[in-house]
Amino acid sequence: MVEHGNVIAGRTVLLQGTGGVSIFGLQLAHAMGVQVIITSSSDEKLARAKKLGANYGINYKSTPDWEKAATDFTDGRGVDQVIEVGGAGTLTRSFGAIRVGGKISLIGGLSGPATELNPGLILARRANVQGISVGSTQMFEAMNLAIAANGIKPVIDKVFGFDQVQAAYRHMASGAHFGKIVIRVAV
Ligand SMILES: NC(=O)c1ccc[n+]([C@@H]2O[C@H](COP(=O)([O-])OP(=O)(O)OC[C@H]3O[C@@H](n4cnc5c(N)ncnc54)[C@H](OP(=O)(O)O)[C@@H]3O)[C@@H](O)[C@H]2O)c1
């Protein structure tokens, strides 16, 4: 959101789902005064996201064309940035959610790695799509400063011991979690 999106207070970001990446994204966006639209398969999780500062929640099961609901929320303009974690199953709709000149930060592929994409979508939206992996040490330090200054505490769903690794992965695969799952490495 900072390095690729260049979003500032008042801009709008769309986050997909309520897993570790998206909930941390929500906390950071909220601290920056950025408007957040978040999607989830669960109304209960959307309610929790709103308590953390999300401005608008869309259930992607009951509203499969969530990109239209996101566009309506922005009065037809479209969002400034999508933090794309869905991948194949969500990317085409993300082009429908962004404003002209909007950005898609491609981080994950929860719904599978491959899809057919119409290149016309990139052209029509004058979209900027950037793959995101790790950042630099400088970016990490800047993020940590923002976390400390805003007193952000990560939302941790459950902590597992190192001897419970399989249970931790099963919990993640179930999709029941909200925020991060921790495997404690140190004793
Ligand atoms: N590029 C990088 O540096 C980097 C770093 C970390 C993670 N990742 C990748 O980013 C993705 C997310 O990681 P994570 O740790 O946040 O995962 P996670 O905690 O397992 O998040 C899963 C959540 O995403 C939502 N979701 C699942 N399938 C979806 C779909 N088809 N459409 C929309 N939402 C969907 C669900 O939320 P609801 O239950 O609310 O529906 C689910 O609970 C993964 O693919 C991961 O590999 C990349």
Side-chain angles (χ1 to χ4, degrees):
M1 285 183 285
V2 174
E3 301 289 337
H4 178 222
N6 289 319
V7 286
I8 55 173
R11 299 294 187 194
T12 307
V13 164
L14 184 138
L15 301 165
Q16 297 172 339
T18 57
V21 170
S22 298
I23 293 301
F24 222 139
L26 165 59
Q27 293 180 284
L28 290 168
H30 185 56
M32 292 191 287
V34 171
Q35 298 266 304
V36 171
I37 301 173
I38 192 160
T39 67
S40 177
S41 57
S42 150
D43 288 340
E44 188 231 321
K45 288 182 177 181
L46 288 175
R48 287 183 70 185
K50 282 188 187 161
K51 282 194 185 142
L52 289 170
N55 301 87
Y56 187 48
I58 307 167
N59 186 318
Y60 62 81
K61 294 276 185 213
S62 55
T63 308
D65 52 353
W66 48 265
E67 75 282 13
K68 291 187 183 139
T71 305
D72 287 346
F73 179 76
T74 59
D75 292 330
R77 179 174 176 271
V79 306
D80 296 283
Q81 184 183 17
V82 173
I83 307 298
E84 175 69 55
V85 294
T90 49
L91 187 55
T92 295
R93 291 192 186 279
S94 293
F95 281 101
I98 55 168
R99 66 168 169 82
V100 172
K103 295 179 178 174
I104 297 176
S105 304
L106 185 55
I107 291 184
L110 287 166
S111 52
T115 185
E116 279 187 18
L117 181 70
N118 174 3
L121 292 171
I122 302 173
L123 184 63
R125 289 285 167 160
R126 281 194 264 137
N128 176 310
V129 184
Q130 167 96 52
I132 309 280
S133 51
V134 293
S136 68
T137 303
Q138 200 177 14
M139 292 176 202
F140 183 62
E141 288 174 353
M143 182 186 73
N144 288 338
L145 266 182
I147 288 171
N150 289 284
I152 294 173
K153 303 261 186 250
V155 177
I156 295 172
D157 180 83
K158 204 165 175 187
V159 180
F160 291 86
F162 198 65
D163 56 345
Q164 300 171 301
V165 166
Q166 289 182 343
Y169 277 98
R170 275 197 299 274
H171 185 54
M172 190 170 209
S174 78
H177 62 292
F178 181 93
K180 293 198 176 288
I181 296 167
V182 172
I183 297 171
R184 198 179 289 284
V185 177
V187 181

